[in-house]
Structure formats: C-alpha cells, structure tokens
C-alpha cells in the first residue's frame, strides 16, 4: 500500500512494475465514490524502480485503487491511502483514526462503590 497526502503539489511514487516503460496511464479509483481519475504520466527508470510524479487530488482518510497501464497491459496494481498524518514505522509513529480527537487522561481510575 502506498501512502499519499492531500497536498495538490506534485508527489512521487516509486513502484516495482511488471515491465519498465517510459510513460504509463495512471488510473486512480476512489473506493468511496467509485470515481475514476485517468492521466498519462511520464515514468523514469530509477535503479530497480519506476518513478512517477503527479499532482494528485485526494481526500483525507480515503482508500484508492491504483492501476498503471501501458496501452491495455497492466504494469502495476496497488492500493493508496490518503492521510496528512506523519507515518514512520521505524519510530513507531503509526496512523491513528482518533488522532487529535481522543485524549486519554492520566490519574486515578478507581471506581467508588457506595
């Protein structure tokens, strides 16, 4: 799964494709609304990766299906999740649905029985 942000700036995806090509047709389907966005994107071979740069228009907290095509041949399939939260598994910084909404209180959680 790839993680992208809601930024309308150009974002870069690096994928390991089935075949290496110079340009691909990018299809992005929103799982919530079933809307499909299609664009032709140049691709750059970067060592063993295919690097794509595109200005996505994504919504926070949504999943998308990513399909890269060369003509009618599928080059790559994946899922995309959109969030503005910083995610870094190396530092145990994971995505939280309740971030900035739920605040745990420390202190005495004893029950008083009358």
């Amino acid at each position: 799964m790839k993680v992208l942000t809601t930024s309308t700036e150009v974002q870069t995806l690096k994928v390991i494709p089935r075949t290496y090509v110079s340009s691909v047709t990018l299809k992005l389907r929103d799982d919530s609304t079933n809307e499909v966005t299609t664009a032709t994107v140049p691709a750059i071979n970067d060592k063993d990766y295919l690097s794509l740069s595109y200005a996505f228009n994504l919504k926070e907290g949504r999943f998308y299906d990513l399909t890269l095509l060369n003509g009618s041949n599928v080059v790559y399939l994946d899922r995309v999740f959109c969030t503005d939260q910083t995610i870094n598994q190396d530092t145990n910084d994971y995505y939280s649905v309740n971030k900035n909404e739920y605040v745990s209180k420390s202190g005495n959680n004893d029950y008083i029985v009358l």
Side-chain angles (χ1 to χ4, degrees):
M1 180 182 330
K2 304 293 183 192
V3 178
L4 297 173
T5 65
T6 59
S7 173
T8 56
E9 300 293 321
V10 174
Q11 299 181 61
T12 302
L13 283 174
K14 286 189 175 185
V15 300
I16 300 175
R18 295 177 184 172
T19 58
Y20 292 88
V21 292
S22 60
S23 71
V24 294
T25 301
L26 181 141
K27 289 177 71 175
L28 203 60
R29 185 183 71 83
D30 187 337
D31 282 0
S32 298
T33 62
N34 208 25
E35 293 178 13
V36 177
T37 303
T38 305
T40 302
V41 180
I44 299 169
N45 292 340
D46 183 15
K47 298 182 184 174
D48 290 334
Y49 294 97
L50 195 64
S51 181
L52 309 163
S53 295
Y54 185 70
F56 298 95
N57 185 13
L58 307 175
K59 305 266 192 249
E60 173 74 29
R62 288 199 184 169
F63 285 94
Y64 297 86
D65 292 326
L66 172 70
T67 306
L68 301 179
L69 300 164
N70 181 20
S72 62
N73 298 327
V74 175
V75 175
Y76 183 78
L77 293 171
D78 207 346
R79 298 270 291 167
V80 172
F81 182 66
C82 178
T83 182
D84 286 332
Q85 292 183 25
T86 56
I87 299 173
N88 186 352
Q89 293 180 353
D90 293 336
T91 60
N92 292 328
D93 191 13
Y94 296 104
Y95 175 78
S96 173
V97 175
N98 296 323
K99 187 167 187 172
N100 298 330
E101 291 183 16
Y102 174 77
V103 179
S104 62
K105 295 184 179 180
S106 61
N108 189 355
N109 288 330
D110 292 339
Y111 290 100
I112 300 174
V113 178
L114 300 175

